[in-house]
Amino acid sequence: MTSTLPNLGNVVSATVGETVFRVAPQTGAITIPSGNGGRTSSGDSIVSMTISTANHAHCQDVIIDGTVTATGSTNRAKNMRNFNISVAGNITLNSQSGTGATRTFQLKMPKDKSGTLYVGMDFPIKGDNEGGATGLATSSYTISLNAVNGNDISRSGQGRATVRRSLRMVKTSDLSFGKIVRPSTGSSLVVLNSFNGARTLSGSGVGIETPAPSRAAYTITGEAAQIVSITVPPSVSMTGPGPALTVNLTAFRPPPQNELEDQGDGTGSYTFYVGGSFTATSTTPTGTYSGVFNVSVSYN
């Protein structure tokens, strides 16, 4: 009997509550039937065993009673549950039953033949609020086969996942150009610097001191020392009493760029800023202009 082991790859915990990763038997497709965590790895994880009845003493079909049982877990993994069996080749699946930590099944095989047993399961991962160390998490199980008039065989396996804390992003200030006086003639380029938050105007436009302008600021928290991808749209449209104003957005990412700095407890933090620019003319209708843009973040 030979076997392969389940591996979820890189996964992200939910902020609250477990996330269930379901491994389908035979195809190995991994889905998420419940929870708000995610998986940053791609690909399937086929869990299979090759079974042979070669040299079996019995001359008729071989009946094999089997069980698969969860036996423990480490760190952010929970015990596997809801195992599911499928077969291929010279194996007939007579029956299977049981939910939770144990699944029982019965197989039938001709003598001197081989086939493949596939095992699917639910592989739960703890949320941030449930504790447990991040990094490598394992969940163990044992498959036992008892051939009537034959040998008993038992194999243990260990499912694996590399778990990261959930990513959170908080906006600590809005992008605000403050109050300006439009130019008396021609146009003015209004710039809010993403690097230092300074506002400048070209031409005859004038910036009023209050309310103070501000660059947008966002703080990301997650797994320490991880690199994240930050997506800022290239522009946003501000609407008001006149034609919409297009704001071209710029982002400042302080070094080490996009890296969550260790806060000493395994969590990481990173702050970045967004500024922008737009053009006001001597005929731009006066009044308040505003718009909304969305910023997103994900683990690399």
Side-chain angles (χ1 to χ4, degrees), residues 32-131:
I32 302 176
S34 65
N36 295 315
R39 182 169 180 252
T40 56
S41 293
S42 59
D44 302 327
S45 182
I46 298 176
V47 183
S48 64
M49 303 177 66
T50 301
I51 305 172
S52 174
T53 55
N55 301 318
H56 195 277
H58 206 271
C59 61
Q60 299 177 347
D61 287 346
V62 180
I63 302 299
I64 302 172
D65 292 320
T67 61
V68 54
T69 303
T71 56
S73 56
T74 66
N75 296 329
R76 290 217 175 182
K78 291 185 174 183
N79 285 0
M80 292 178 178
R81 57 183 185 248
N82 300 332
F83 294 99
N84 193 13
I85 305 298
S86 68
V87 295
N90 294 290
I91 303 179
T92 300
L93 178 61
N94 284 346
S95 64
Q96 62 175 316
S97 62
T99 58
T102 300
R103 187 80 159 174
T104 62
F105 55 92
Q106 186 179 85
L107 311 175
K108 182 173 73 172
M109 294 184 65
K111 184 178 181 295
D112 294 328
K113 297 294 183 179
S114 64
T116 304
L117 171 74
Y118 296 96
V119 183
M121 75 286 291
D122 286 350
F123 192 157
I125 298 295
K126 295 177 183 177
D128 289 343
N129 66 311
E130 296 180 282

Side-chain angles (χ1 to χ4, degrees), residues 7-12 38 40-41 125 134-137 160-164:
N7 191 341
L8 300 181
N10 295 322
V11 301
V12 181
T40 56
S41 293
I125 298 295
T134 55
L136 178 63
R160 301 163 64 92
T162 300
V163 185
R164 297 169 177 169

Side-chain angles (χ1 to χ4, degrees), residues 13-290:
S13 288
T15 303
V16 177
E18 71 175 24
T19 300
V20 175
F21 295 87
R22 178 164 293 167
V23 181
Q26 198 154 344
T27 67
I30 299 173
T31 57
I32 302 176
S34 65
N36 295 315
R39 182 169 180 252
T40 56
S41 293
S42 59
D44 302 327
S45 182
I46 298 176
V47 183
S48 64
M49 303 177 66
T50 301
I51 305 172
S52 174
T53 55
N55 301 318
H56 195 277
H58 206 271
C59 61
Q60 299 177 347
D61 287 346
V62 180
I63 302 299
I64 302 172
D65 292 320
T67 61
V68 54
T69 303
T71 56
S73 56
T74 66
N75 296 329
R76 290 217 175 182
K78 291 185 174 183
N79 285 0
M80 292 178 178
R81 57 183 185 248
N82 300 332
F83 294 99
N84 193 13
I85 305 298
S86 68
V87 295
N90 294 290
I91 303 179
T92 300
L93 178 61
N94 284 346
S95 64
Q96 62 175 316
S97 62
T99 58
T102 300
R103 187 80 159 174
T104 62
F105 55 92
Q106 186 179 85
L107 311 175
K108 182 173 73 172
M109 294 184 65
K111 184 178 181 295
D112 294 328
K113 297 294 183 179
S114 64
T116 304
L117 171 74
Y118 296 96
V119 183
M121 75 286 291
D122 286 350
F123 192 157
I125 298 295
K126 295 177 183 177
D128 289 343
N129 66 311
E130 296 180 282
T134 55
L136 178 63
T138 63
S139 190
S140 302
Y141 60 93
T142 296
I143 300 175
S144 299
L145 301 179
N146 180 353
V148 177
N149 299 320
N151 297 324
D152 295 343
I153 300 174
S154 180
R155 293 287 187 273
S156 294
Q158 191 178 74
R160 301 163 64 92
T162 300
V163 185
R164 297 169 177 169
R165 289 171 174 83
S166 63
L167 274 178
R168 309 178 196 182
M169 182 167 59
V170 176
K171 181 184 67 177
T172 56
S173 65
D174 280 317
L175 173 59
S176 174
F177 292 91
K179 185 179 290 186
I180 66 169
V181 177
R182 66 187 181 184
S184 55
T185 59
S187 63
S188 289
L189 180 65
V190 184
V191 178
L192 201 294
N193 193 308
S194 62
F195 175 74
N196 57 19
R199 180 187 61 193
T200 59
L201 287 84
S202 66
S204 59
V206 176
I208 308 299
E209 290 186 3
T210 56
S214 64
R215 58 185 175 170
Y218 302 85
T219 296
I220 304 165
T221 56
E223 191 72 20
Q226 296 297 314
I227 304 298
V228 296
S229 295
I230 299 168
T231 302
V232 178
S235 64
V236 62
S237 181
M238 294 198 303
T239 58
L245 302 175
T246 298
V247 178
N248 295 313
L249 299 174
T250 58
F252 171 58
R253 300 177 173 90
Q257 197 171 86
N258 294 16
E259 182 177 335
L260 302 182
E261 183 178 357
D262 194 343
Q263 302 300 295
D265 60 355
T267 63
S269 178
Y270 182 76
T271 299
F272 69 100
Y273 306 91
V274 177
S277 63
F278 70 94
T279 298
T281 71
S282 59
T283 59
T284 298
T286 59
T288 300
Y289 291 78
S290 64

